[in-house]
Amino acid sequence: MANNDIALMTHLLRRAGFGASRDEIESRAALGYEATVEELLNPNDHPGLEQDILFRYQPAYNEPAAIEVNVQQWMYYMINNPRQLQEKVALFWHMIFCAGHSKIDSGQEMSLMVNMFRDHGMGNFRDLLMLLSTSPGMIYYLDNSESHKTAVNENYGRELLELFSMGVGKDDEFNYSEDDVKACARAFTGWNIAPSYPPFPYGRSAWEFRFDPADHDDADKTFLGNTGNWNGEDILDMVCKQPATARFVARHLYNYFVADEVPVPSWRQTPPKDPELIEALESAYFESNYDITAMLRVLLNSESFKNARYAKVKNPAEMVVSTLRLVGDHQEIKPGLFEISQEPKYMGMDLMNPPTVEGWHTGHEWIDSGTLVERINFASDYLGQTDLPGVKGIVNRLMAEGETISPKQFVDGCLDLVGQLQVTDETYGELVSHAEREGELNHQSEMQQQDFVRRSGEMLQMIAATSEYQFG
Amino acid sequence: MVSNKKDNVLAVLSLSGGNDGLNTVIPMNNGLYRDFRPNLGIAEEQIIPLKDPTTGKDTGFGFHPSMAPMIRFWEEGKMAIFLGIGYPNPSYSHFRSMDIWHTCEPDKIGNEGWLGQVIKDLDPNSENVLTGVNFGRGLPRALAKEGVPVASVGDLETYGLLTGIQGEDQRTEALDVFGRMYSPTIGTGYALDYIRRTGTDALKGADILATAPGLYSSDVEYSATAVGQYMKNIAQTHLAGFGTRVLYTTSPYNGFDTHASQAQAHSGLWTDVSANVETFIDDLRGHDAMDNVTLLMFSEFGRRVGDNGSGTDHGAASVAFAIGEDVKGGFYGEYPSLDQDKLIEGGNLDHSMDFREVYSTILEDWLHIDPVPIAGNFTKVNFL
């Protein structure tokens, strides 16, 4: 099979999912790029994760209250959900529609939000904003529950425009005024959470959305130049029609799936890195009547996407999950899932608990001297475990290259098998001279085989420690 | 790297989970204490009375019996106890309340940690990658600030890069390769360049920190617990003279969250903390290295005044401690009233002192930093 097909498929599965084993990459490459894109874009045509296995082995998985269990459950989904793009999209929206456990204080509500992103994140954007605006977790996180007809709290109204849909501005212009924020907030008064049932005797129940007409400001409001007795739904209709919204969603998709962009607050003044692709995504947004899947189809089939290999710093969830998928660990429920689920937090991404409503700072800002040590040690610890099925598979493929392989072949093989990693000449030179210290590799005798395995583990650890492995 | 100048150092032990202040510094003469704590009240004969260090008179307060090792520091007049410490409109969520203590932002969600800003002020150009060191996995938000390098050490004895590589020679060789692979390159793009610089910093920090256990010798012994290990690691790092100014650690996550079986649990927690704090101070004194250290201990909130049978639920105001040779021992603030009508939101102690008053004092009088941009405008508590 052409090497370029493999490289491209590796790239697709790393971006539209959390990476894949070499076997899966090869079988999908045989199927073809566009066919694989279509499969990823239509997750509901294919079986998802078998939930009954979760419940069978861990009964506590049924609507757990503790945040740690909810994060574990999500981690298991990310590693094992065969509908990988759906899972990747759930994380995408979690990083934009930010609500954090630190305030919500309910693991169950956090999972309900993630489930919503998983189930609806590839659907219609207006529907998604409607679900978000009626999500009790979000209503509480951004104080819409404290927003009343007679005392308007602007928090949700503002963030809906600034962070969830239109963005502050584009092409140096501002997208909305402070008066629009006020009108938007007024339109969402009365969008609240129903009083909870008492927790006894059946435990805490999920919060429910309730619209309270008596607490809704139904006077006329002027929003983006249109005057009327607007309710929240009318606002969403108007917001979704805006070119600003198309641009904002397109740039976010680009930043997450294609290449690291400048931080969101700079988007008003800084034009997109790739204006052509952004324009194509904007057109797809309007032509499909705001369908996220349609936008993703354009994105994943674009040349810009195909060429943007290793142009992004992996976020911590990607670092952890893609490494585990590569080495083939935690493919079933087993002890240690808790520890794994804490790893992104050590690397600066406390899942279900973003630092603020603005979310995490991405790109190179994931890296500091503390998080880099965690990333390197995590990845190299796992890639050095030569008894794990994925690592075994890599070693077997290396051995299959010939009875004797040269240090250079060895390094090339390892780089190829960890996902066709591209490294700088300096890094490559260091890896080769490291391999040369012990000379060529053989695997005829048992002792040679043991040596081969040991050296493979060491080389994979070195590769996992490179600056290039920080990219995805 | 080794600094001869004795700059002041702040060590912090965060007591995660919400420490029950009422059973820590006990208002032993208050009848309401007995009424509210029929199950969890500490028997009067077990409470360690806190006598005024100068006059020797009873103060009416006493320590939980498991805190016996710390009474020395109180009697020496080296321990400040902050009564009724908290902040307005308390949050009863561990995460949120801890964030408030970390960021000094009770009203909005803050991003920058107060100590992250301290490290930036103390070392604006990040000349020393070890100005701030955290012990534990992941960085507490208190230490987070963009562009401020802070080492986060799970265990000082094994800390480093590529710790998974077996064999000393192999690892040394691997670290050599690592150092060369992370040497700066030209024209590889900003992100890669940045990551390599960071990797070089991390390696430098790890190399320096790795020497600390070897430089350390002591005749005291810490407990084989997480608190013991981390207090020892703080002592080792401080004694190694790397110029570290902020040393931070957290007791096992949510350990103080004693909703049930509190009698045993709380006793065990304070036995551990007290013994290791005593060892820590003895250790530093034994090395003539305590005089520029202040140790701060706090928890994100206290617990409900009334017990729930075997435990206590999340509460509001609690107690905090500072120990150091320059600390003016004594009580600061007022013990919140236990009168039913003075309790807030279903039976919690109202705060009488804002934690930011304590922070402001530490910032200005100990670290010599302008407290206002970090903690806000608060009156100082003159304990230093």
Side-chain angles (χ1 to χ4, degrees):
Chain A
M1 194 170 304
N3 215 25
N4 191 43
D5 291 349
I6 298 284
L8 184 59
M9 187 55 67
T10 309
H11 170 68
L12 174 66
L13 297 178
R14 200 171 52 236
R15 294 290 178 79
F18 292 93
S21 69
R22 185 56 165 250
D23 290 344
E24 183 182 341
I25 290 165
E26 288 184 359
S27 64
R28 285 190 182 274
L31 190 72
Y33 185 85
E34 278 169 39
T36 303
V37 167
E38 282 310 308
E39 188 182 321
L40 289 163
L41 289 173
N42 293 286
N44 296 330
D45 296 352
H46 308 277
L49 190 83
E50 283 185 55
Q51 292 190 8
D52 49 346
I53 290 180
L54 279 170
F55 299 138
R56 186 186 307 155
Y57 287 102
Q58 298 217 345
Y61 272 103
N62 196 17
E63 296 187 357
I67 186 67
E68 293 83 357
V69 183
N70 287 277
V71 177
Q72 278 179 66
Q73 184 166 5
W74 192 11
M75 183 57 62
Y76 184 78
Y77 266 80
M78 286 195 266
I79 302 168
N80 293 302
N81 192 349
R83 299 167 174 174
Q84 280 277 293
L85 180 55
Q86 204 180 48
E87 213 51 48
K88 202 76 188 258
V89 166
L91 181 63
F92 170 69
W93 292 120
H94 177 63
M95 293 171 70
I96 298 171
F97 297 157
C98 288
H101 179 68
S102 70
K103 176 162 174 180
I104 293 175
D105 201 19
S106 161
Q108 186 187 18
E109 294 299 331
M110 294 315 303
S111 269
L112 288 170
M113 293 183 87
V114 172
N115 294 347
M116 170 175 94
F117 300 147
R118 182 185 295 118
D119 294 343
H120 304 280
M122 291 173 68
N124 181 282
F125 185 64
R126 190 199 170 281
D127 293 350
L128 189 59
L129 285 182
M130 186 63 188
L131 286 165
L132 187 73
S133 303
T134 55
S135 151
M138 183 54 82
I139 287 173
Y140 180 70
Y141 186 70
L142 288 183
D143 305 320
N144 215 58
S145 43
E146 301 297 317
S147 187
H148 305 288
K149 183 178 182 172
T150 49
V152 180
N153 184 310
E154 289 175 9
N155 202 1
Y156 183 71
R158 177 181 305 280
E159 304 307 7
L160 171 67
L161 302 182
E162 180 180 332
L163 299 172
F164 302 161
S165 62
M166 294 173 69
V168 175
K170 75 178 179 72
D171 304 330
D172 271 328
E173 302 292 327
F174 286 98
N175 290 334
Y176 53 86
S177 69
E178 280 301 299
D179 287 341
D180 292 322
V181 170
K182 292 192 172 72
C184 178
R186 285 170 59 207
F188 280 98
T189 49
W191 291 49
N192 213 323
I193 307 169
S196 304
Y197 299 105
F200 300 106
Y202 299 115
R204 241 163 116 162
S205 53
W207 293 336
E208 283 174 27
F209 171 74
R210 189 180 70 173
F211 176 65
D212 181 359
D215 201 18
H216 175 69
D217 178 348
D218 53 10
D220 274 356
K221 311 160 190 83
T222 301
F223 181 71
L224 301 176
N226 306 306
T227 304
N229 167 18
W230 310 128
N231 202 333
E233 288 202 71
D234 305 312
I235 298 288
L236 297 183
D237 284 337
M238 287 185 266
V239 158
C240 286
K241 279 186 198 146
Q242 301 303 315
T245 302
R247 171 72 62 88
F248 195 71
V249 176
R251 284 190 87 163
H252 265 302
L253 287 169
Y254 180 91
N255 181 48
Y256 185 80
F257 285 101
V258 184
D260 287 327
E261 263 282 9
V262 294
V264 182
S266 321
W267 287 2
R268 186 176 72 83
Q269 302 98 325
T270 315
K273 262 187 180 173
D274 186 341
E276 262 174 64
L277 177 55
I278 295 296
E279 208 174 298
L281 293 172
E282 289 168 356
S283 305
Y285 172 85
F286 285 117
E287 280 160 20
S288 68
N289 197 24
Y290 325 138
D291 184 31
I292 299 299
T293 295
M295 296 178 84
L296 284 169
R297 181 173 288 114
V298 169
L299 184 148
L300 297 174
N301 285 312
S302 72
E303 287 307 307
S304 301
F305 170 77
K306 291 177 186 174
N307 294 326
R309 295 177 203 170
Y310 291 104
K312 283 180 56 57
V313 176
K314 285 180 197 142
N315 69 46
E318 289 172 324
M319 174 58 84
V320 171
V321 178
S322 67
T323 300
L324 291 171
R325 284 174 64 86
L326 179 65
V327 302
D329 203 11
H330 288 279
Q331 292 174 313
E332 68 290 322
I333 290 279
K334 66 168 198 176
L337 190 58
F338 169 74
E339 285 75 10
I340 291 298
S341 70
Q342 295 294 301
E343 290 287 346
K345 177 160 118 182
Y346 302 149
M347 301 174 192
M349 189 185 207
D350 192 4
L351 288 169
M352 297 191 172
N353 197 21
T356 68
V357 66
E358 291 176 42
W360 291 279
H361 291 203
T362 60
H364 73 272
E365 292 187 51
W366 285 118
I367 310 278
D368 61 42
S369 53
T371 60
L372 185 59
V373 172
E374 294 286 351
R375 291 166 73 107
I376 289 171
N377 285 350
F378 175 83
S380 64
D381 275 0
Y382 272 92
L383 275 162
Q385 291 180 41
T386 48
D387 52 343
L388 289 172
V391 185
K392 262 188 195 162
I394 291 175
V395 176
N396 290 339
R397 280 176 183 266
L398 286 169
M399 285 182 176
E401 289 195 13
E403 287 195 354
T404 298
I405 63 171
S406 71
K408 204 167 164 304
Q409 278 177 303
F410 177 56
V411 172
D412 291 342
C414 288
L415 288 170
D416 176 42
L417 293 167
V418 297
Q420 301 227 328
L421 188 66
Q422 297 165 355
V423 297
T424 59
D425 292 347
E426 294 88 343
T427 300
Y428 183 70
E430 290 299 336
L431 293 172
V432 171
S433 66
H434 179 60
E436 279 167 350
R437 284 176 79 233
E438 291 190 65
E440 59 183 28
L441 295 94
N442 297 292
H443 51 92
Q444 282 81 30
S445 75
E446 205 171 307
M447 237 176 69
Q448 284 173 337
Q449 279 176 22
Q450 280 174 11
D451 226 34
F452 194 108
V453 171
R454 174 189 61 78
R455 288 180 66 186
S456 303
E458 278 177 29
M459 181 53 66
L460 292 171
Q461 290 190 67
M462 293 308 306
I463 290 171
T466 59
S467 45
E468 290 87 347
Y469 190 81
Q470 304 310 315
F471 293 81
Chain B
M1 184 59 64
V2 176
S3 155
N4 298 315
K5 197 170 76 218
K6 275 200 159 185
D7 287 325
N8 285 346
V9 170
L10 176 67
V12 181
L13 170 58
S14 159
L15 307 172
S16 168
N19 171 46
D20 183 15
L22 200 55
N23 269 9
T24 304
V25 176
I26 304 164
M28 52 196 293
N29 298 337
N30 190 333
L32 288 169
Y33 171 71
R34 297 281 153 212
D35 296 344
F36 279 116
R37 293 287 171 95
N39 304 299
L40 287 177
I42 307 294
E44 192 159 348
E45 63 277 13
Q46 288 182 12
I47 298 175
I48 307 168
L50 290 162
K51 294 188 194 312
D52 186 293
T54 30
T55 63
K57 285 188 186 153
D58 273 337
T59 62
F61 299 106
F63 270 169
H64 187 281
S66 61
M67 296 165 73
M70 292 206 303
I71 196 78
R72 265 173 61 201
F73 308 118
W74 171 260
E75 287 169 354
E76 290 171 3
K78 306 290 186 197
M79 175 189 265
I81 301 179
F82 308 106
L83 302 171
I85 196 165
Y87 53 88
N89 306 314
S91 166
Y92 299 92
S93 150
H94 293 292
F95 305 90
R96 179 70 194 126
S97 195
M98 197 51 108
D99 269 4
I100 290 169
W101 278 79
H102 283 336
T103 60
C104 299
E105 297 280 11
D107 303 318
K108 62 180 176 106
I109 293 179
N111 211 359
E112 293 192 330
W114 75 289
L115 294 170
Q117 298 174 67
V118 163
I119 296 163
K120 181 79 187 171
D121 274 9
L122 293 173
D123 184 11
N125 302 320
S126 305
E127 282 161 20
N128 184 352
V129 293
L130 299 178
T131 299
V133 181
N134 174 59
F135 295 92
R137 296 288 297 280
L139 210 57
R141 199 165 292 170
L143 292 158
K145 179 170 168 69
E146 209 184 309
V148 173
V150 176
S152 201
V153 179
D155 182 352
L156 192 61
E157 304 281 341
T158 57
Y159 179 68
L161 278 154
L162 298 169
T163 46
I165 293 188
Q166 303 293 313
E168 211 174 312
D169 290 351
Q170 272 88 346
R171 182 151 176 262
T172 308
E173 159 69 10
L175 285 175
D176 281 350
V177 176
F178 181 88
R180 289 195 296 271
M181 288 198 306
Y182 274 72
S183 59
T185 48
I186 296 154
T188 48
Y190 179 77
L192 191 68
D193 206 41
Y194 167 82
I195 290 172
R196 288 187 174 181
R197 266 185 287 131
T198 309
T200 305
D201 276 356
L203 190 61
K204 199 176 4 163
D207 278 351
I208 301 168
L209 280 170
T211 63
L215 297 168
Y216 173 81
S217 75
S218 178
D219 40 21
V220 301
E221 199 149 331
Y222 293 84
S223 319
T225 59
V227 173
Q229 183 218 306
Y230 288 139
M231 291 313 289
K232 181 180 175 182
N233 288 169
I234 288 181
Q236 289 172 314
T237 305
H238 175 62
L239 293 171
F242 299 144
T244 303
R245 305 286 305 279
V246 177
L247 293 146
Y248 197 100
T249 195
T250 307
S251 67
Y253 175 65
N254 267 2
F256 279 85
D257 196 18
T258 49
H259 286 280
S261 311
Q262 176 172 319
Q264 280 166 303
H266 199 239
S267 205
L269 289 159
W270 273 108
T271 301
D272 183 27
V273 168
S274 307
N276 288 299
V277 165
E278 183 191 32
T279 307
F280 173 75
I281 291 171
D282 284 345
D283 198 7
L284 263 50
R285 283 180 174 172
H287 289 89
D288 197 17
M290 183 63 201
D291 54 341
N292 64 331
V293 177
T294 294
L295 173 67
L296 173 71
M297 290 190 278
F298 76 96
S299 192
E300 70 268 35
F301 46 59
R303 307 197 75 81
R304 198 70 43 83
V305 175
D307 64 40
N308 66 16
S310 80
T312 51
D313 297 312
H314 299 185
S318 189
V319 292
F321 303 88
I323 308 176
E325 311 297 21
D326 283 358
V327 169
K328 295 176 200 145
F331 290 116
Y332 295 87
E334 269 174 51
Y335 213 100
S337 169
L338 270 64
D339 291 346
Q340 190 72 55
D341 60 344
K342 298 277 170 51
L343 299 179
I344 56 166
E345 293 176 292
N348 299 301
L349 296 177
D350 195 3
H351 77 296
S352 58
M353 170 187 281
D354 195 296
F355 70 93
R356 289 165 291 180
E357 297 172 30
V358 174
Y359 283 10
S360 299
T361 319
I362 293 171
L363 291 167
E364 186 158 304
D365 294 350
W366 190 244
L367 299 170
H368 310 302
I369 288 175
D370 180 4
V372 178
I374 297 175
N377 226 327
F378 286 88
T379 320
K380 287 192 290 180
V381 193
N382 290 316
F383 70 96
L384 282 164

